[in-house]
Amino acid sequence: MYRIFVEVRTITYEYLEKTKRLFEDNGWDWKSELYDRFCNRMDVWSNDEERDFFLELSKRFLWVRLEEYPTCVKYVLEKILSKEISEEQKSVCLLPLKSISELKHEKSGDIVAYMLHGGECSNIFSKYKKHKYIYSSIVFCLNKVLSSSEKIVLIDDFIGSGDTAIAVIDELVASKKILTEQIVVAVIVIMEEAYERLADKGVRVVFKHKATKGIHGFYAGDELNEKLCMIKSMTDMIKGKKRFSSPLGYNCTESLVSMYRTPNNTLPIFWAKKGKTKDGEGPFSR
């Protein structure tokens, strides 16, 4: 005798329509798998208060798709060459934001750095041809004594907690061959707290988007405590292979950001997988 189990959906037509409006407001395609994954994710929770909070967070969600990278990189590059590099500085070293221990691994910074080699970036380099541009890695910078007329530009698509960026900068400065003021960080999206940490070290940061913590940045007092309790409860409902140390994302960064890949700084309710079925996938993949 066989038993057939039918999964009961709890999400109502009202929330299907609310999600559609969210997608229209955010400029996302509601006739897509992303829309389906959003609806499946809301079906995880048992009450409308949690669904409303998820939609509220989603309104502030920043999704930078890979096809948007060239425009963002062009914007950041133009800003750096026009405002951060003086005419006296003869050469500019451009390198992905990676420590020595990460050199063997492909990182998102490699994708951004690769985009500098062609497309519209070529036109920008031609505009500022007084400088010599060196595409390199941290190893080159550590093995070479840079003069005060040289600049280092560390490139990435996203900076969340700022831990990696600070570790790389400390590595460069500890070599005693590079000064902090010679370093500029170029990034598409940076979290506000990471920006402040780098600014406190005297490092200039050029970005396309600066993002605020998704919960602490918008709520205070009793409402903040209520939202923190809710996000923990919502996260506890999602169990699977994905591991995360906090319902607020890595290092409690509270990002509401997805790039080519979704960083683990982003709230896990947006990327963590529930179970093994396709319906359990988070809206944004990691």
Side-chain angles (χ1 to χ4, degrees):
M1 180 178 179
Y2 297 96
R3 292 184 180 181
I4 299 174
F5 294 91
V6 179
E7 188 175 2
V8 178
R9 295 290 184 189
T10 58
I11 186 171
T12 62
Y13 178 77
E14 176 190 1
Y15 281 92
L16 297 177
E17 283 298 302
K18 281 185 176 182
T19 305
K20 180 182 174 182
R21 286 197 296 275
L22 165 76
F23 270 57
E24 290 172 343
D25 291 342
N26 285 5
W28 302 343
D29 181 11
W30 67 271
K31 296 178 180 178
S32 65
E33 285 190 9
L34 180 64
Y35 174 83
D36 295 335
R37 293 196 297 270
F38 255 80
C39 294
N40 288 336
R41 180 47 42 107
M42 282 194 290
D43 202 44
V44 168
W45 302 303
S46 58
N47 66 69
D48 290 346
E49 187 180 11
E50 291 170 330
R51 295 188 183 103
D52 285 331
F53 185 40
F54 180 68
L55 291 174
E56 186 179 329
L57 292 170
S58 301
K59 288 178 183 178
R60 301 195 290 268
F61 200 94
L62 175 63
W63 180 24
V64 182
R65 285 151 279 198
L66 185 60
E67 57 266 29
E68 297 174 55
Y69 275 39
T71 302
C72 295
V73 172
K74 177 189 172 186
Y75 172 88
V76 172
L77 180 63
E78 177 86 56
K79 203 168 177 183
I80 284 176
L81 296 183
S82 64
K83 297 184 178 180
E84 301 296 332
I85 312 295
S86 67
E87 291 188 5
E88 291 75 30
Q89 287 168 321
K90 296 177 181 177
S91 65
V92 181
C93 298
L94 303 149
L95 53 146
L97 183 56
K98 295 166 67 172
S99 65
I100 288 181
S101 62
E102 296 174 316
L103 287 179
K104 293 182 180 179
H105 305 288
E106 191 76 20
K107 305 288 285 186
S108 56
D110 293 302
I111 298 173
V112 181
Y114 180 76
M115 290 180 176
L116 298 175
H117 290 272
E120 296 182 29
C121 289
S122 298
N123 299 329
I124 297 174
F125 285 127
S126 298
K127 185 177 172 183
Y128 299 93
K129 45 185 157 182
K130 287 185 178 180
H131 311 294
K132 177 183 178 183
Y133 299 101
I134 303 168
Y135 301 95
S136 190
S137 70
I138 189 173
V139 174
F140 172 83
C141 295
L142 290 174
N143 291 333
K144 183 179 183 297
V145 178
L146 298 184
S147 69
S148 58
S149 65
E150 295 176 287
K151 203 85 167 180
I152 293 175
V153 179
L154 300 172
I155 303 160
D156 210 343
D157 66 341
F158 174 78
I159 296 178
S161 66
D163 288 352
T164 300
I166 287 172
V168 171
I169 291 165
D170 286 346
E171 205 168 2
L172 289 167
V173 174
S175 70
K176 297 183 179 179
K177 298 175 182 178
I178 298 158
L179 301 174
T180 304
E181 51 264 34
Q182 288 179 272
I183 301 171
V184 178
V185 172
V187 64
I188 296 175
V189 182
I190 186 168
M191 295 301 295
E192 189 171 14
E193 284 195 359
Y195 176 86
E196 290 171 358
R197 289 181 69 190
L198 289 167
D200 287 344
K201 289 182 72 69
V203 177
R204 296 285 296 167
V205 182
V206 179
F207 57 88
K208 175 65 174 169
H209 303 282
K210 185 162 65 173
T212 304
K213 280 193 167 192
I215 299 177
H216 279 84
F218 294 87
Y219 309 101
D222 292 340
E223 187 180 21
L224 172 60
N225 293 329
E226 177 190 330
K227 298 300 185 186
L228 290 173
C229 289
M230 194 183 302
I231 199 71
K232 183 182 185 306
S233 172
M234 292 166 71
T235 307
D236 287 344
M237 291 294 294
I238 304 166
K239 298 176 182 178
K241 292 182 178 179
K242 294 286 185 183
R243 303 295 180 191
F244 39 87
S245 57
S246 168
L248 302 179
Y250 173 76
N251 221 356
C252 297
T253 313
E254 298 179 35
S255 302
L256 294 174
V257 175
S258 184
M259 308 294 293
Y260 173 59
R261 288 184 62 196
T262 306
N264 62 358
N265 307 84
T266 292
L267 298 178
I269 60 171
F270 284 97
W271 54 263
K273 187 171 182 178
K274 178 178 172 63
K276 298 180 179 181
T277 66
K278 190 173 182 179
D279 287 349
E281 292 179 357
F284 296 95
S285 61
R286 254 194 60 69

